[in-house]
């Protein structure tokens, strides 16, 4: 095997090829470091004396289906300039690792398309080694994302299963990259992020979040100069929950089986936008019948549909007038649930109107949530929280293949 093949096939450069042997289906390539290339690991001086040699073996990329190992006696030298005694550095492998850098890169390429268990079965290595290689490389590139450039961010928590339950995400809305993954939910999960953000001296202009008191107080405390923008999705979700609660109350109060029959099965029709109703299934007729027989439900439904127009006003002033008018009609409707919701909107008026200065939302985080779920399905879950966090931080560089 020539030095050229040793470099291009196995990623080993600057070493002398000695021999190749085969044992139990494995290929073992013996190499050595030429005497003229021995250097002191501390000062780099070439006048060194070899004290002893230590046999080492590293796993490298396979040739065909045959596992390949590199074997070498690593010399321990004493420098005649600084008198230091130390083993020479091996350039093709990291310290305390039993695989080469080229093998590490190969494993990472396979992990793009395969699970760690599949990679381990294919290469004949342990699941833990495949995960360790993945974690080491991800930690190097994604463990501490740069925060200095942040201008507009979104904050939200997502449910990731029984083991880790909730995680809190911070998304850079300009680049689409997740810049922080916190364990749990609420203000406590964001404490490490605020600490790093302060040291980075980032000039955050706007933050999109839901109307959670914990997030509101955390943002106001740590980013007093940033605009707090309440997310449109969460506001409409909250109103839909109120509408569902009203339908449930009306169902229990309905007189006779006919009234209940009309309301039965209309929950999802009430949550749909009018343009999303399926006319072929008669959904618009069923909804119309339910609204005609229940005036409170009809008022709540039409007010819900009108609230969507808040985000379609031409100016900030028009939006403020629209919000005031909507809340006034909700208060005079006599429907307790709508009156409560109107008071909630009035208490968060500044965050709603801030959308007209910074039209952002946590919507992109929903796309990230879908990617995280796909990530979990492909890996059959993550036992290690650190690895899971690193994979999420690298999601913006991941490309998922659709098979089918």
């Amino acid at each position: 095997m020539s030095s050229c093949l040793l470099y291009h096939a196995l990623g080993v450069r600057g070493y002398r090829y000695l021999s190749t042997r085969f044992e139990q289906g494995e290929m073992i390539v013996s190499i050595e470091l030429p005497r003229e290339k021995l250097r002191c690991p501390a000062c780099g001086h070439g006048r060194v004396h070899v004290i002893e040699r230590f046999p080492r073996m590293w796993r490298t990329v396979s040739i065909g289906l045959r596992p390949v190992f590199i074997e070498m006696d690593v010399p321990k030298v004493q420098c005649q300039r600084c008198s230091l005694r130390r083993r020479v550095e091996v350039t093709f492998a990291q310290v305390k690792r039993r695989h080469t850098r080229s093998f590490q890169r190969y494993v990472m390429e396979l992990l793009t398309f395969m699970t760690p268990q599949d990679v381990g079965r294919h290469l004949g290595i342990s699941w833990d080694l495949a995960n360790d290689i993945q974690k080491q490389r991800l930690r190097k590139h994604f463990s501490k994302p740069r925060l200095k450039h942040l201008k507009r961010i979104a904050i939200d928590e997502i449910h990731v299963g029984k083991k880790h339950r909730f995680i809190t995400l911070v998304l850079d809305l300009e680049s689409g990259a997740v810049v922080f993954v916190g364990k749990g939910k609420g203000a406590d999960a964001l404490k490490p992020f605020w600490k790093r953000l302060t040291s980075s001296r980032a000039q955050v202009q706007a933050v999109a979040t839901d109307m959670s008191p914990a997030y509101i107080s955390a943002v106001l405390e740590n980013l007093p100069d940033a605009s707090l923008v309440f997310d449109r999705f969460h506001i409409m979700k909250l109103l839909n929950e109120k509408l569902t609660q009203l339908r449930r109350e009306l169902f229990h109060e309905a007189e006779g089986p006919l009234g209940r029959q009309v309301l039965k099965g209309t929950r999802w029709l009430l949550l749909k936008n009018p343009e999303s109703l399926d006319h072929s299934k008669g959904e618009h007729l069923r909804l119309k019948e339910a609204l005609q027989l229940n005036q409170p439900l009809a008022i709540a439904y039409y007010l819900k549909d009108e609230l969507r127009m808040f985000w379609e006003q031409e100016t900030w002033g028009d939006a403020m007038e629209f919000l005031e008018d909507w809340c006034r009609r909700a208060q005079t409707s006599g429907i307790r649930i709508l009156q409560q919701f109107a008071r909630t909107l009035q208490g968060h008026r500044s965050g709603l109107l801030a959308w007209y200065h910074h039209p952002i939302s946590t919507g992109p985080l929903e796309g990230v949530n879908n990617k995280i779920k796909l990530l979990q399905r492909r890996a059959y879950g993550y036992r290690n929280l650190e690895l899971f966090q690193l994979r999420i931080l690298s999601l913006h560089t991941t490309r998922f293949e659709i098979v089918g």
Side-chain angles (χ1 to χ4, degrees):
M1 180 181 289
S2 64
S3 299
C4 181
L5 185 60
L6 193 67
Y7 170 62
H8 289 288
L10 305 181
V12 178
R13 184 178 185 178
Y15 294 81
R16 182 183 295 123
Y17 168 74
L18 297 178
S19 63
T20 301
R21 70 179 189 274
F22 299 89
E23 294 181 359
Q24 299 178 350
E26 300 174 345
M27 180 178 176
I28 302 175
V29 179
S30 297
I31 62 173
E32 68 173 359
L33 184 65
R35 179 63 181 82
E36 61 272 13
K37 292 189 176 182
L38 287 176
R39 294 290 184 273
C40 174
C43 65
H45 196 263
R47 296 185 62 184
V48 295
H49 173 66
V50 178
I51 303 174
E52 56 183 320
R53 297 179 183 271
F54 297 88
R56 289 287 307 277
M57 186 177 290
W58 299 267
R59 175 69 188 273
T60 188
V61 292
S62 304
I63 296 180
L65 299 177
R66 190 180 295 273
V68 180
F69 292 84
I70 293 178
E71 183 183 64
M72 173 180 158
D73 291 337
V74 181
K76 182 177 182 180
V77 299
Q78 179 176 4
C79 181
Q80 297 183 16
R81 172 190 284 181
C82 63
S83 301
L84 183 70
R85 294 186 176 189
R86 188 179 295 175
R87 296 187 192 183
V88 298
E89 296 180 355
V90 178
T91 59
F92 56 84
Q94 293 180 337
V95 179
K96 297 181 180 180
R97 296 289 174 177
R98 299 180 63 182
H99 53 266
T100 64
R101 298 178 190 274
S102 59
F103 183 76
Q104 178 177 325
R105 289 193 296 269
Y106 181 56
V107 170
M108 284 302 301
E109 290 176 0
L110 291 178
L111 286 170
T112 306
F113 309 99
M114 305 164 63
T115 67
Q117 185 176 6
D118 293 332
V119 173
R121 188 183 299 112
H122 173 64
L123 298 177
I125 61 177
S126 67
W127 181 92
D128 290 321
L129 177 58
N131 260 343
D132 182 62
I133 291 174
Q134 184 181 41
K135 187 192 301 183
Q136 180 187 6
R137 191 168 181 84
L138 291 174
R139 189 187 291 130
K140 177 181 178 182
H141 295 285
F142 301 105
S143 61
K144 292 184 177 180
R146 297 184 62 182
L147 305 180
K148 186 177 182 179
H149 63 282
L150 292 181
K151 299 296 181 184
R152 297 179 177 185
I153 61 176
I155 302 174
D156 199 6
E157 78 272 355
I158 64 171
H159 184 261
V160 291
K162 296 180 180 179
K163 186 173 180 63
H164 303 306
R165 298 189 65 80
F166 285 93
I167 58 174
T168 299
L169 302 180
V170 179
L171 182 74
D172 179 3
L173 290 172
E174 296 186 0
S175 67
V178 178
V179 295
F180 175 77
V181 181
K183 184 178 179 180
K185 62 178 181 177
D188 291 341
L190 289 169
K191 287 182 179 179
F193 173 72
W194 300 130
K195 185 176 181 180
R196 287 197 59 223
L197 190 67
T198 302
S199 61
S200 70
R201 298 182 180 180
Q203 301 296 321
V204 179
Q205 300 173 356
V207 181
T209 182
D210 59 19
M211 294 188 292
S212 166
Y215 287 158
I216 294 174
S217 60
V219 172
L220 293 178
E221 179 183 352
N222 294 279
L223 294 173
D225 298 329
S227 297
L228 185 61
V229 183
F230 295 129
D231 180 58
R232 173 179 182 172
F233 170 80
H234 285 91
I235 293 170
M236 295 306 300
K237 180 182 177 182
L238 178 59
L239 183 53
N240 280 328
E241 291 174 356
K242 297 293 184 182
L243 192 61
T244 300
Q245 182 181 347
L246 177 62
R247 187 205 67 87
R248 189 179 297 114
E249 292 178 359
L250 292 174
F251 179 83
H252 292 300
E253 295 174 1
E255 296 181 0
L258 180 60
R260 294 189 177 185
Q261 184 63 31
V262 172
L263 288 174
K264 187 175 181 180
T266 59
R267 177 188 175 189
W268 300 113
L269 300 181
L270 293 169
L271 300 184
K272 280 187 175 182
N273 295 326
E275 62 273 13
S276 301
L277 294 173
D278 191 342
H279 288 258
S280 64
K281 297 181 179 179
E283 291 182 345
H284 64 294
L285 295 176
R286 291 182 57 200
L287 179 61
K288 183 179 179 180
E289 183 182 6
L291 296 179
Q292 287 177 342
L293 294 177
N294 296 273
Q295 185 181 5
L297 190 63
I299 294 174
Y301 176 79
Y302 291 122
L303 281 176
K304 184 209 79 165
D305 189 47
E306 289 181 16
L307 185 60
R308 295 190 300 154
M309 302 297 295
F310 170 77
W311 291 273
E312 299 178 9
Q313 302 301 305
E314 293 186 0
T315 64
W316 182 91
D318 293 339
M320 183 176 64
E321 291 181 6
F322 180 93
L323 183 63
E324 290 294 333
D325 179 66
W326 192 96
C327 291
R328 183 172 58 254
R329 285 186 291 149
Q331 289 283 9
T332 58
S333 67
I335 303 173
R336 178 182 53 83
I337 291 176
L338 284 180
Q339 293 172 339
Q340 293 175 348
F341 186 76
R343 287 194 292 269
T344 300
L345 293 186
Q346 288 175 331
H348 297 81
R349 181 188 309 171
S350 60
L352 292 169
L353 294 171
W355 186 86
Y356 280 87
H357 298 298
H358 301 280
I360 59 177
S361 73
T362 62
L365 272 173
E366 296 302 315
V368 173
N369 190 10
N370 292 333
K371 283 188 175 182
I372 291 175
K373 290 179 180 178
L374 178 58
L375 197 67
Q376 288 180 290
R377 286 198 300 269
R378 293 183 61 179
Y380 297 98
Y382 285 87
R383 293 184 295 179
N384 187 289
L385 180 59
E386 182 189 3
L387 177 58
F388 187 37
Q389 291 174 325
L390 290 171
R391 287 303 307 270
I392 295 175
L393 291 172
S394 66
L395 269 179
H396 62 287
T397 64
T398 305
R399 296 294 181 269
F400 290 103
E401 296 282 341
I402 299 177
V403 180

